[in-house]
Amino acid sequence: MCGIIGYAGPRNAQEVLLDGLRRLEYRGYDSAGVAIVGSGLQVFKDKGEISKLYTSMPEIRGNLGVGHTRWATCGKPSKQNAHPFVDCTNQTAVVHNGIIENYQALRKQLTDEGHKFTSETDTEVLVHLLEKHYRGNLRAALISALKEVKGTYAVVALRTDSNEIVAARKENPLVVGLGVGENILASDVTAMLNYTQKALYVMDGETVSLTADKVTIYDRNNDVVVREPSTISWTIEDAQKGGFEHYMLKEIYEQPTAIHNSLLGSLDEIMSEGSLVDQDFGAVKLVACGTSYHASMVGKYIIEALAKIPVTVELASEYRYSPGTGENPLTVMVTQSGETADTLAAAREAKRRGCHTLAVTNVVGSTIAREVDSVFYTKAGPEIGVAATKTYSTQLMAMYLLGLRLGYLRKAMGRDEIRSLSSELRSMPQYVRGVLDRASEVDDSTDMLVEARDVFFLGRNINYPTMLEGALKLKEISYIHAEGYAAGELKHGPLALLDASTPVVAACIKDHTYEKMLSNISETAARDSPILAIGEEGDEELLAVADKLVTIPHVAPILSPVPLTVVVQLIAYYAAKKRGCPIDKPRNLAKSVTVD
Ligand code: F6R
């Protein structure tokens, strides 16, 4: 979603802001802009790529500035609607993430008072409110302005007659980077890694005053907040491509390490106090969106099998509006970004219902991490490609850990059983490496998909959600329409759509569904659909019915989603690459979806 960067210090602000904006690109955006205090307030913004801004901007001297990448919500993507916005006197500039819900009423009122608007956005009311309330202290003006506002925000402002940047936060991330003789504000730490590893997370209701030498955070009562800075463990290299053609491919290849890191420590502690959850919950509800929802669906099979308790999975956007059943299961919010608006709203609803909430997220200091009762961090490292890959496989690890932990607490699993599955889990990085070593086979197999208009992904049982994820990955990065289906459902309608022009990707591993899957594959072959099967090494029977076979190593069926996931990610990647798609920045998809 939108990204923010602000800088005060001795460097050329233009360079720091443009560099920060480039690092925020992965969040998804349609326009970008900067405002720099140089000789007066200089604002440059445009629709489209940040590289356009790089080439079109003259050199500006100035040491104070703010920048923004916008993902349109109120008002179409355009130069006028891009941030920053300035007031009528051209002295104040504002950038904003979030939504001002009452902006139409405010806009009317401000227009009646003589303010001139230049955009269709909700954000522009903020700069006019600042102008209205300014009496010589910008932070005080911001506090007064925000009293008139309904909605959510990370808002950052500056003026030409001061060396200060001010900011406020409500339900949108904001973090301060502490440098030596310079300070930065951003919507996420990726934008500041070049300059500092020391961060201060801003909390809801707080305001910030930031200059080159000093940062002060104030609470809702306007009292100064004393907070220890956190150390950002991500390095700049972590956030760069490292020789791969795309971030997505780099991140697919990082999965052995990401899986290892996510299990590290947590697996050893699974039978110790203080691990994940300490109570024997009688039921679990997993709540998530998109790819995280698919990880949760896999989680249902895992937790039910290991802990022998009922698990329900709900889309966050549905859960938040449902009436509730009066039961209080352990409610797990699964979200790589920790900022998804629907998942946050669902977490608040779960708390309101009195449920214990646990977040599974990849981003330390994310909003969800601060709102729930307990957190499990997936430790996948920064994921820059918009399509989730390594955060998904590490979410799967969280599901295994949770299943094992609950299984232990409920005595549904004995110590030996736990140790045996733990040791197989420890081998997962090696199995994933095995799949990656054969990436060229997957690459060849995707030729049959590249020209297709529709593709079906079929699986059964624990591998059904993995195929839903395969279909989602293919859709979002290659723009080929794909549907994931539980193979047993084919005969209830969709068989009618299968013919020689509709390829089928089918997962068929040697578990208790093997024979049924083989029959389903034969059914599709009978309709002339080209078949790309994913199965185990040496499976001659499967090879006989498939046009192409990609193999995964044999693992315990409960662990099969892990290698299978890597194959479907690679299928989507190679198909999208052959179609020349912008893989790391697919259209209409954002890394953190902060609107609902
Ligand atoms: C797909 C994708 C999205 C996200 C969804 C939820 O590759 O990335 O479907 O999974 O927007 O995001 P998080 O996990 O951040 O809550």
Side-chain angles (χ1 to χ4, degrees):
M1 225 36 18
C2 306
I4 287 178
I5 172 103
Y7 178 76
R11 299 178 206 249
N12 180 344
Q14 181 178 18
E15 274 168 31
V16 179
L17 297 179
L18 289 175
D19 174 56
L21 291 183
R22 229 172 13 87
R23 295 184 193 287
L24 291 169
E25 275 190 300
Y26 75 94
R27 294 167 70 94
Y29 70 104
D30 49 54
S31 51
V34 296
I36 295 168
V37 178
S39 51
L41 186 57
Q42 309 211 34
V43 177
F44 289 88
K45 53 189 191 177
D46 213 339
K47 186 180 159 187
E49 302 269 312
I50 287 162
S51 50
K52 231 169 114 186
L53 210 61
Y54 261 98
T55 43
S56 64
M57 249 178 107
E59 205 187 313
I60 302 171
R61 286 181 186 281
N63 306 106
L64 187 77
V66 290
H68 190 264
T69 49
R70 174 174 188 253
W71 170 276
T73 48
C74 294
K76 59 185 179 302
S78 69
K79 182 171 177 167
Q80 284 75 14
N81 290 339
H83 302 211
F85 293 101
V86 293
D87 64 355
C88 301
T89 61
N90 204 35
Q91 283 194 294
T92 311
V94 163
V95 292
H96 161 235
N97 289 353
I99 289 202
I100 308 301
E101 285 165 12
N102 59 337
Y103 81 100
Q104 268 157 334
L106 286 171
R107 185 180 172 121
K108 180 168 183 324
Q109 176 196 317
L110 287 159
T111 307
D112 291 346
E113 289 166 12
H115 293 264
K116 299 257 178 301
F117 281 77
T118 57
S119 78
E120 304 159 314
T121 64
D122 54 336
T123 299
E124 201 183 353
V125 298
L126 290 173
V127 78
H128 293 288
L129 284 172
L130 278 180
E131 182 181 7
K132 176 178 165 181
H133 289 286
Y134 184 70
R135 308 274 182 278
N137 178 333
L138 190 57
R139 196 177 59 84
L142 183 60
I143 293 170
S144 306
L146 293 175
K147 285 193 180 134
E148 297 199 37
V149 158
K150 272 201 216 137
T152 62
Y153 44 79
V155 53
V156 179
L158 51 68
R159 273 183 66 88
T160 45
D161 51 9
S162 125
N163 60 354
E164 181 192 26
I165 295 177
V166 301
R169 168 200 153 123
K170 186 179 171 207
E171 294 175 30
N172 275 261
L174 194 60
V175 55
V176 174
L178 302 170
V180 179
E182 62 181 349
N183 290 304
I184 303 186
L185 252 171
S187 43
D188 80 55
V189 293
T190 319
M192 54 179 64
L193 285 175
N194 241 349
Y195 311 98
T196 182
Q197 305 280 123
K198 267 168 82 186
L200 273 178
Y201 292 96
V202 182
M203 306 290 171
D204 271 357
E206 292 179 344
T207 54
V208 183
S209 160
L210 179 148
T211 63
D213 314 309
K214 197 168 176 207
V215 175
T216 315
I217 300 184
Y218 300 83
D219 66 15
R220 288 175 206 276
N221 303 320
N222 215 13
D223 292 327
V224 173
V225 173
V226 181
R227 181 169 299 143
E228 275 300 303
S230 316
T231 304
I232 311 167
S233 57
W234 294 355
T235 63
I236 196 86
E237 289 73 31
D238 285 336
Q240 285 175 345
K241 267 193 231 163
F244 285 89
E245 197 173 343
H246 296 97
Y247 282 116
M248 181 179 176
L249 191 61
K250 173 179 178 255
E251 286 154 7
I252 290 174
Y253 272 81
E254 282 170 350
Q255 288 180 114
T257 311
I259 289 173
H260 172 82
N261 290 346
S262 279
L263 293 175
L264 196 74
S266 307
L267 203 48
D268 301 328
E269 286 165 10
I270 215 78
M271 291 185 271
S272 320
E273 249 178 69
S275 160
L276 275 158
V277 283
D278 268 334
Q279 247 183 19
D280 166 13
F281 293 90
V284 175
K285 186 177 283 290
L286 300 160
V287 184
C289 303
T291 284
S292 299
Y293 177 71
H294 296 149
S296 305
M297 286 178 76
V298 180
K300 174 181 162 71
Y301 290 92
I302 296 170
I303 300 166
E304 285 186 346
L306 301 183
K308 315 270 185 302
I309 44 175
V311 180
T312 48
V313 189
E314 273 196 63
L315 288 165
S317 53
E318 293 297 319
Y319 174 86
R320 58 182 292 197
Y321 299 113
S322 68
T325 56
E327 285 158 5
N328 284 354
L330 166 66
T331 305
V332 186
M333 331 307 300
V334 184
T335 163
Q336 57 79 21
S337 65
E339 303 294 346
T340 301
D342 282 318
T343 313
L344 284 170
R348 290 173 197 139
E349 174 58 18
K351 288 193 91 170
R352 197 192 61 75
R353 293 180 191 176
C355 304
H356 180 94
T357 51
L358 166 71
V360 172
T361 185
N362 193 44
V363 182
V364 177
S366 57
T367 306
I368 198 112
R370 291 196 294 270
E371 296 208 2
V372 290
D373 299 308
S374 46
V375 186
F376 176 80
Y377 288 112
T378 47
K379 302 186 199 77
E383 190 174 70
I384 308 297
V386 172
T389 52
K390 61 177 179 168
T391 52
Y392 177 79
S393 48
T394 55
Q395 285 170 348
L396 295 184
M397 294 307 120
M399 297 300 126
Y400 291 113
L401 288 167
L402 191 57
L404 284 169
R405 177 68 184 157
L406 291 169
Y408 171 74
L409 287 173
R410 296 179 57 77
K411 302 194 174 43
M413 294 181 85
R415 283 179 177 267
D416 287 347
E417 213 185 333
I418 293 179
R419 281 197 196 102
S420 151
L421 187 61
S422 299
S423 119
E424 287 197 61
L425 267 171
R426 284 198 182 87
S427 305
M428 277 301 114
Q430 174 193 325
Y431 288 121
V432 169
R433 246 174 247 123
V435 175
L436 293 170
D437 287 345
R438 294 175 176 175
S440 59
E441 271 177 39
V442 184
D443 188 357
D444 294 344
S445 74
T446 56
D447 289 347
M448 72 164 86
L449 308 181
V450 177
E451 299 298 329
R453 208 189 63 170
D454 308 290
V455 177
F456 274 78
F457 280 70
L458 305 181
R460 275 181 182 258
N461 197 247
I462 195 165
N463 286 321
Y464 156 52
T466 313
M467 300 314 270
L468 289 177
E469 174 58 9
L472 177 62
K473 283 276 117 27
L474 188 70
K475 271 189 277 218
E476 67 192 2
I477 63 165
S478 76
Y479 314 136
I480 299 171
H481 168 245
E483 292 226 31
Y485 244 88
E489 281 292 295
L490 264 193
K491 55 188 173 295
H492 298 291
L495 264 184
L497 297 175
L498 296 185
D499 59 23
S501 67
T502 313
V504 168
V505 181
C508 186
I509 60 145
K510 292 212 164 160
D511 65 2
H512 57 299
T513 66
Y514 179 71
E515 300 297 336
K516 287 272 187 282
M517 263 316 295
L518 268 187
S519 321
N520 294 139
I521 293 173
S522 303
E523 273 164 20
T524 61
R527 267 97 190 152
D528 297 329
S529 283
I531 293 159
L532 195 179
I534 310 168
E536 291 178 22
E537 283 154 17
D539 188 341
E540 297 298 328
E541 238 181 312
L542 182 58
L543 187 58
V545 286
D547 295 283
K548 284 271 178 194
L549 174 66
V550 170
T551 56
I552 57 171
H554 175 74
V555 293
I558 195 168
L559 298 175
S560 58
V562 184
L564 189 59
T565 291
V566 182
V567 175
V568 296
Q569 291 169 346
L570 287 169
I571 287 176
Y573 174 79
Y574 288 119
K577 190 173 156 200
K578 285 175 192 159
R579 286 164 66 92
C581 298
I583 290 177
D584 285 329
K585 284 179 267 165
R587 69 180 181 229
N588 295 337
L589 184 65
K591 192 76 197 157
S592 44
V593 183
T594 53
V595 290
D596 44 17

